[in-house]
Amino acid sequence: LTPPNRPGTIFLGNLKEFRERNIHLFIDAAKEQGDVVRLRFGPNTMYLISHPDGVQHILQANNRNYGRTTYANNLIKRITGLNLFTSEGDYWLRQRRLMQPAFHRKRLETFNNVMVNSTQRLLDRWRPAISTGKPLDMHVEMTHLTMDVVGQALFSVDLTDESSVLGKAFRISTEYLNDSFREPFTLPLSFPTTKNKTVNWAIRTVQEIIQYMVDERRKTGEQKDDLLAMLMEARDEETGEFMSDEQLRQETAIVIGAGQETTSNLLTWTFHILSEHPDIEERMIAEIDSTLQGRTPSMDDLHNLPYLRMLIDEVLRYFPPAWAIAARNTLEDDEILGFHIPKNSTVFVVPFILHRDPRFWQDPERILPDRFCEEHTAERHKYAYLPFGAGPRKCIGNTFALIESQLILATLYQKVRLVTAPGKNVVPDPAFTLRVKDGLPMTVVPR
């Protein structure tokens, strides 16, 4: 069987509709054309897969037939080089093996204080706004906070200072990715436009600063208990080799970029949902107060905060920061859900669609954290929920992100509540990640 086509224009296919309607193109295609849909963006053909069985086939059962040579992957490779996210095959397997121990939950306990202390510094900075009632843009604030956390956890340095060149370089790179995703036909970075010169400066700066930090560690012999130290010490079990400096730079760059951007979006969406659902906020605060009794939270407390975790899972369902994932290139012909997928085709998955599909979620448009209790989770198709991907290439930093989000929320909501500024129309902006369009102004109210 040949998958149904999404109607489009002769030359551009569905590109015009994508530019005008973005994520709504994929939502409507899944609804109107079915679980496997053929789309065309200019000369490029892509297949949208919107059923968990098809997703499982791509990410797990036949994952070896699906490579990373796609537009989105090459775009990230332009910025960060070859790393755990952009590589495949034996190289990816070696890097995953090398890096996995650094992200083990036991190792992450080291960063408990980093996450809490960064949040407490944020509360200190908020004091003037709290006293005057001045709204703050929570997207900006969470970008600042998560950059602080990742800087301290990775390098033991502050990346949030206005003079931080590295922080500025990452902001430029992130905006480039978002802009390029919205407009697929962009000039190569070798073209000397003003924008390209700025992006090339950012890429070069990130690599140079990371290399400087690596060199300084080696020169001084200083022992730090951070992720950079763990990555520098990582040794391949089979060959005994360490990562090269180039590998260290490129892996570190993707850890900063991915870890900061997605978590800041998750937290921003969580604040919005809590502001819109006072009953959920009240229940979460009651659990935090009763568990912590005013104490600073630690990782040991998290198992006693089940509702907080269910809330985060529900936010990740309704507003997944990684709203489109698993763009893969077929290495050989394949069949997905009974449809023929030719060799050298691109397949992709949109968790935003899967996470709101009424076939797999009861009342999907309602915010119901309790749907993530153990009983309901056990009943659900495991590939209907993909906030961090799935299969062998599931995000290596998922545990870090979940712990960070829980500790930040438990610290903040002991002291304050957040209220969306009147008149703000909150609309998702699906670029490279799912942001709030034009930011999220909120008033910080002391409890």
Side-chain angles (χ1 to χ4, degrees):
L1 282 178
T2 301
N5 288 310
R6 175 75 177 174
T9 63
I10 294 175
F11 296 111
L12 295 179
N14 308 108
L15 185 59
K16 184 173 183 288
E17 188 180 4
F18 174 72
R19 284 172 172 161
E20 293 172 352
R21 303 182 65 240
N22 196 290
I23 196 172
H24 297 286
L25 159 64
F26 305 133
I27 293 169
D28 290 348
K31 196 178 294 181
E32 294 165 15
Q33 275 78 46
D35 290 331
V36 181
V37 185
R38 183 179 182 271
L39 300 121
R40 193 165 56 81
F41 299 97
N44 303 314
T45 299
M46 301 180 73
Y47 294 87
L48 171 65
I49 312 301
S50 301
H51 191 285
D53 289 343
V55 177
Q56 185 170 9
H57 179 82
I58 296 164
L59 298 185
Q60 183 73 54
N62 198 28
N63 73 85
R64 291 179 181 276
N65 188 48
Y66 291 88
R68 301 287 288 181
T69 310
T70 62
Y71 173 78
N73 199 63
N74 291 335
L75 191 59
I76 296 171
K77 199 185 292 185
R78 283 188 208 173
I79 300 294
T80 62
L82 192 65
N83 51 47
L84 195 61
F85 188 90
T86 59
S87 64
E88 54 191 331
D90 291 341
Y91 185 91
W92 169 82
L93 188 59
R94 176 183 181 273
Q95 292 302 103
R96 181 83 184 203
R97 221 169 32 225
L98 274 170
M99 294 175 67
Q100 189 71 57
F103 290 89
H104 190 276
R105 188 181 177 89
K106 273 291 178 192
R107 296 297 294 267
L108 297 182
E109 287 178 5
T110 312
F111 308 124
N112 189 122
N113 290 340
V114 164
M115 295 166 179
V116 172
N117 292 342
S118 293
T119 310
Q120 289 171 334
R121 284 195 295 275
L122 180 77
L123 283 166
D124 289 340
R125 285 200 311 277
W126 282 358
R127 280 179 184 168
I130 291 172
S131 62
T132 60
K134 176 188 174 185
L136 296 169
D137 184 343
M138 281 303 132
H139 174 71
V140 172
E141 296 299 316
M142 290 306 103
T143 298
H144 189 286
L145 174 57
T146 53
M147 187 63 84
D148 188 12
V149 170
V150 80
Q152 297 291 345
L154 190 51
F155 300 124
S156 305
V157 298
D158 183 4
L159 298 184
T160 63
D161 183 54
E162 285 304 313
S163 64
S164 169
V165 179
L166 190 60
K168 179 183 176 184
F170 265 101
R171 285 193 295 274
I172 290 168
S173 300
T174 301
E175 291 311 316
Y176 172 76
L177 288 174
N178 278 308
D179 292 345
S180 300
F181 190 83
R182 290 189 186 95
E183 182 49 71
F185 296 115
T186 55
L187 288 171
L189 286 173
S190 55
F191 277 71
T193 63
T194 302
K195 181 178 181 179
N196 280 355
K197 286 178 182 176
T198 304
V199 175
N200 282 319
W201 169 85
I203 295 168
R204 191 169 59 251
T205 298
V206 168
Q207 296 291 310
E208 287 173 355
I209 292 178
I210 293 172
Q211 186 63 54
Y212 172 78
M213 291 181 179
V214 170
D215 291 342
E216 282 296 296
R217 293 282 177 96
R218 291 202 181 112
K219 188 162 65 179
T220 63
E222 187 178 9
Q223 297 296 311
K224 298 259 190 181
D225 208 5
D226 55 24
L227 275 174
L228 181 60
M230 294 178 198
L231 296 179
M232 288 176 70
E233 293 162 8
R235 188 193 289 262
D236 190 294
E237 290 178 2
E238 294 181 2
T239 66
E241 293 177 352
F242 295 100
M243 281 194 229
S244 69
D245 283 6
E246 183 181 24
Q247 288 168 335
L248 276 172
R249 292 195 306 269
Q250 293 174 349
E251 297 297 357
T252 302
I254 196 67
V255 167
I256 297 174
Q260 180 273 320
E261 171 74 5
T262 51
T263 308
S264 64
N265 289 334
L266 165 59
L267 289 164
T268 304
W269 285 118
T270 304
F271 298 146
H272 167 61
I273 280 177
L274 289 170
S275 179
E276 293 291 302
H277 297 83
D279 55 327
I280 293 175
E281 181 189 62
E282 187 178 330
R283 185 171 162 190
M284 180 198 72
I285 287 174
E287 180 183 76
I288 290 170
D289 287 350
S290 129
T291 300
L292 299 178
Q293 303 282 316
R295 285 187 295 103
T296 299
S298 73
M299 279 179 63
D300 291 338
D301 293 310
L302 298 184
H303 71 280
N304 291 320
L305 296 168
Y307 190 73
L308 175 60
R309 172 57 193 273
M310 289 192 294
L311 165 66
I312 290 170
D313 287 339
E314 178 69 340
V315 176
L316 286 167
R317 178 191 72 84
Y318 202 71
F319 292 118
W323 66 274
I325 64 163
R328 300 285 194 272
N329 186 55
T330 52
L331 305 180
E332 300 293 342
D333 286 6
D334 200 4
E335 185 177 293
I336 299 177
L337 302 175
F339 292 102
H340 175 70
I341 308 295
K343 178 181 178 178
N344 294 327
S345 301
T346 298
V347 299
F348 70 107
V349 176
V350 177
F352 190 95
I353 295 173
L354 280 167
H355 291 184
R356 299 184 184 210
D357 191 324
R359 293 176 295 177
F360 315 112
W361 304 91
Q362 187 174 0
D363 215 351
E365 293 303 319
R366 285 184 65 198
I367 304 297
L368 300 169
D370 285 309
R371 73 170 85 242
F372 283 95
C373 71
E374 204 171 313
E375 176 191 348
H376 293 317
T377 300
E379 296 169 351
R380 193 165 46 245
H381 195 306
K382 66 182 289 191
Y383 285 83
Y385 182 60
L386 302 163
F388 298 102
R393 296 193 67 119
K394 186 174 182 177
C395 174
I396 196 172
N398 69 312
T399 303
F400 185 103
L402 290 169
I403 291 169
E404 179 185 6
S405 302
Q406 290 172 89
L407 289 175
I408 287 171
L409 291 167
T411 303
L412 284 178
Y413 278 87
Q414 285 187 90
K415 304 292 183 183
V416 299
R417 293 172 52 251
L418 297 164
V419 180
T420 304
K424 169 62 181 175
N425 183 27
V426 179
V427 178
D429 179 19
F432 205 76
T433 57
L434 189 70
R435 295 178 167 187
V436 178
K437 189 174 179 61
D438 300 324
L440 183 64
M442 301 190 85
T443 305
V444 185
V445 181
R447 283 188 55 205

